[in-house]
Amino acid sequence: MKKMDRMDTLSLWKATANCYTKGKPLEGNLEADVVIIGAGFTGLSSAYHLQKLGRSAVVLEQETIGYGASGRNGGMVLPGYKPTMQELAKKYGPEEARQLNDLSLRSVQLVKDIIEEHQINCDFRRTGHIVTAYKPKHFEELKNESEYLNKHFGYESTVLDKNQLHQEIDSPLYHGCLVDNSSYSFHPLNYAIGLGEAAKSVGAQIFEHSKALSIEYGKNNVKVVTEKGTVTARDIIVATDGYSGKIISELNKGVLPISARIIATEQLPESVVDAVIPKDRMVFDTSHFLYYFRRTPDNRIVFGGGDIRPNLGEEVYQSVYDAMVKIMPKLAGSKIDYRWGGFIGVTVDTFPLIGKSKEGAYFATGYSGHGASLSTLFGKLLAQWIITGDAGGFRFEKERLKSFPLYNQKTLLVNLAHISFKMLDMIG
């Protein structure tokens, strides 16, 4: 049954956003220690931590705070990365994998600390999450990952087989799951707004509707030009991730913007949401298309994933709805109140990194769907790097941002990836 007729054109998060004093467009010429392009989690965290460390920061946002992925995601503050810990251990060694795991947990704790210190009202709740096995062989992989985490990292993850799966989710599609209690759900746009207010409270200046039109690099400074003003600073951070475009060459070549689409149901009877996700866990699966979903405090289901191609019409949201009902048949007939889309930034290795362009612009990028927690930490590391010359010596800054082949034909690349994912998910 198609129930898309009531769908709104804005996100659930935008419709329920906290009020705040909007940033005015930049007018005139300013000076600062650091100019930051992008008012998402990375840019706002950079500004917040720079100011706390005694450096003045000006943030330029072409739209509004949290306009990009920071305010459009599924609201899952997760530990870990796109690659599994076993994959990272194989690539970098077990000791570095342990360090990376600790850093991901540290990023979650940092979000929690900022929310508590600044009393940010963003429905931050420790719900935990489950990773559901899309295929039987995926369940074996989840069992191995759980054993690895528990043995080497002191984790307390558990697994449930297909016969036990009903304890966490009512779905005929999956073959078991891994349960992790270390994650939180939140209202991502309200966190972005609160992080912006926290940055302003320690002296940062944030200008909305102030698109960076050009960057002029001098010998000892950099100037960012907007429509009605300029900011001259000693250092620059480009915190644009999947919305980078061609602002700096390295990001244009090394970051692929992947489309993400999400729907939110009407408010459902508590009996229904209790039936489909009884323990209020967040959920994502092991399919290549990666379906992800969760309950909200007001008993909606937020559901995303399924099609990564850009420039598709409204019919794509019907396919997202159909996937939701296939995964959770009890939601058949539920009406959709909101639907929205956006872009996430993905690197060749699906691993995030911190870097510096040949001209000297600092950046952090490539969260590959794990940016809700990592980006706040990366903003702090960028601030540390600018002030001390050292971002901590972690793997994030050791890796080089590799260029995608055919990077000037990104739509083609995404379409090819879509076909590849579809084929892989169809193979038994």
Side-chain angles (χ1 to χ4, degrees):
M1 178 181 291
K2 296 183 179 181
K3 288 289 184 180
M4 306 296 290
D5 52 298
R6 282 182 55 199
M7 183 175 60
D8 209 326
T9 56
L10 77 166
S11 75
L12 170 64
W13 314 130
K14 184 70 172 178
T16 56
N18 294 335
C19 294
Y20 72 102
T21 302
K22 302 294 191 293
K24 296 179 181 179
L26 175 67
E27 293 185 4
N29 304 314
L30 288 182
E31 293 186 359
D33 292 324
V34 185
V35 58
I36 300 166
I37 301 176
F41 297 152
T42 304
L44 295 171
S45 176
S46 297
Y48 173 74
H49 287 100
L50 282 164
Q51 290 285 161
K52 291 192 74 173
L53 292 170
R55 296 287 178 88
S56 61
V58 170
V59 182
L60 302 175
E61 167 57 49
Q62 69 174 350
E63 298 291 344
T64 55
I65 285 175
Y67 175 83
S70 295
R72 296 172 184 257
N73 60 75
M76 302 181 180
V77 186
L78 304 167
Y81 308 84
K82 178 66 172 175
T84 67
M85 283 301 159
Q86 289 185 90
E87 290 170 338
L88 293 175
K90 184 177 181 179
K91 187 172 185 178
Y92 302 126
E95 286 302 318
E96 192 158 8
R98 183 179 294 107
Q99 181 191 64
L100 288 169
N101 183 69
D102 290 343
L103 284 166
S104 77
L105 292 171
R106 177 177 152 191
S107 73
V108 174
Q109 184 63 44
L110 179 61
V111 173
K112 182 174 185 289
D113 290 345
I114 291 173
I115 288 171
E116 291 179 348
E117 179 179 353
H118 295 277
Q119 298 183 328
I120 299 173
N121 178 17
C122 60
D123 297 324
F124 190 69
R125 299 179 299 133
R126 185 169 182 170
T127 57
H129 70 274
I130 63 173
V131 186
T132 51
Y134 190 72
K135 299 177 182 179
K137 67 178 182 180
H138 294 173
F139 179 60
E140 296 304 314
E141 294 167 358
L142 289 175
K143 284 199 297 184
N144 291 335
E145 181 73 0
S146 178
E147 291 171 4
Y148 186 86
L149 289 169
N150 296 349
K151 179 179 179 180
H152 296 283
F153 298 160
Y155 237 69
E156 296 182 358
S157 64
T158 57
V159 292
L160 301 175
D161 62 27
K162 190 166 186 175
N163 294 325
Q164 301 167 309
L165 189 61
H166 65 276
Q167 297 174 28
E168 294 289 350
I169 182 173
D170 183 1
S171 174
L173 188 66
Y174 297 123
H175 300 272
C177 72
L178 180 152
V179 184
D180 187 330
N181 289 312
S182 60
S183 53
Y184 295 76
S185 64
F186 73 166
H187 187 303
L189 182 53
N190 280 341
Y191 172 62
I193 290 170
L195 185 56
E197 293 297 292
K200 288 191 287 185
S201 75
V202 292
Q205 298 182 74
I206 302 173
F207 296 92
E208 297 181 306
H209 302 292
S210 300
K211 181 177 182 179
L213 300 177
S214 65
I215 303 173
E216 300 172 4
Y217 296 92
K219 185 176 181 180
N220 297 309
N221 61 27
V222 60
K223 180 189 290 185
V224 179
V225 180
T226 69
E227 183 181 3
K228 296 182 179 180
T230 66
V231 180
T232 302
R234 284 184 289 179
D235 294 296
I236 181 172
I237 293 173
V238 178
T240 46
D241 199 31
Y243 291 79
S244 297
K246 296 182 179 181
I247 192 165
I248 59 175
S249 176
E250 286 87 346
L251 295 180
N252 178 46
K253 295 178 180 180
V255 179
L256 188 66
I258 295 291
S259 295
R261 294 178 177 84
I262 304 179
I263 58 176
T265 69
E266 63 186 331
Q267 289 181 273
L268 299 169
E270 193 160 343
S271 59
V272 173
V273 290
D274 281 345
V276 293
I277 310 178
K279 294 184 180 178
D280 197 13
R281 308 275 195 206
M282 302 177 293
V283 187
F284 63 92
D285 70 16
T286 58
S287 68
H288 286 83
F289 276 129
L290 182 65
Y291 294 107
Y292 50 97
F293 46 98
R294 49 165 285 209
R295 294 168 54 168
T296 63
D298 62 347
N299 291 334
R300 302 176 189 272
I301 298 293
V302 171
F303 185 97
D307 201 313
I308 64 172
R309 293 172 295 176
N311 305 321
L312 296 179
E314 293 299 307
E315 67 274 6
V316 69
Y317 292 100
Q318 183 64 50
S319 69
V320 178
Y321 179 88
D322 292 343
M324 179 184 74
V325 172
K326 182 180 180 182
I327 290 170
M328 295 171 285
K330 282 188 171 65
L331 297 181
S334 300
K335 293 181 179 179
I336 301 304
D337 279 352
Y338 302 97
R339 67 103 180 99
W340 65 98
F343 294 98
I344 61 172
V346 176
T347 62
V348 171
D349 297 325
T350 68
F351 188 72
L353 50 81
I354 292 171
K356 196 173 183 180
S357 74
K358 63 181 181 295
E359 297 89 356
Y362 296 85
F363 60 82
T365 194
Y367 302 113
S368 302
H370 284 260
S373 52
L374 289 174
S375 55
T376 299
L377 175 63
F378 277 37
K380 183 176 182 179
L381 294 178
L382 284 171
Q384 176 185 320
W385 190 3
I386 286 174
I387 291 173
T388 68
D390 182 0
F394 305 122
R395 175 57 56 181
F396 315 122
E397 62 176 305
K398 295 177 183 177
E399 290 294 297
R400 297 288 299 274
L401 184 57
K402 299 174 184 176
S403 297
F404 279 92
L406 303 174
Y407 62 83
N408 281 326
Q409 301 181 53
K410 290 182 177 177
T411 298
L412 173 62
L413 286 177
V414 175
N415 287 336
L416 290 173
H418 176 89
I419 294 169
S420 175
F421 290 168
K422 189 172 183 179
M423 292 179 64
L424 289 168
D425 283 340
M426 289 174 63
I427 296 172

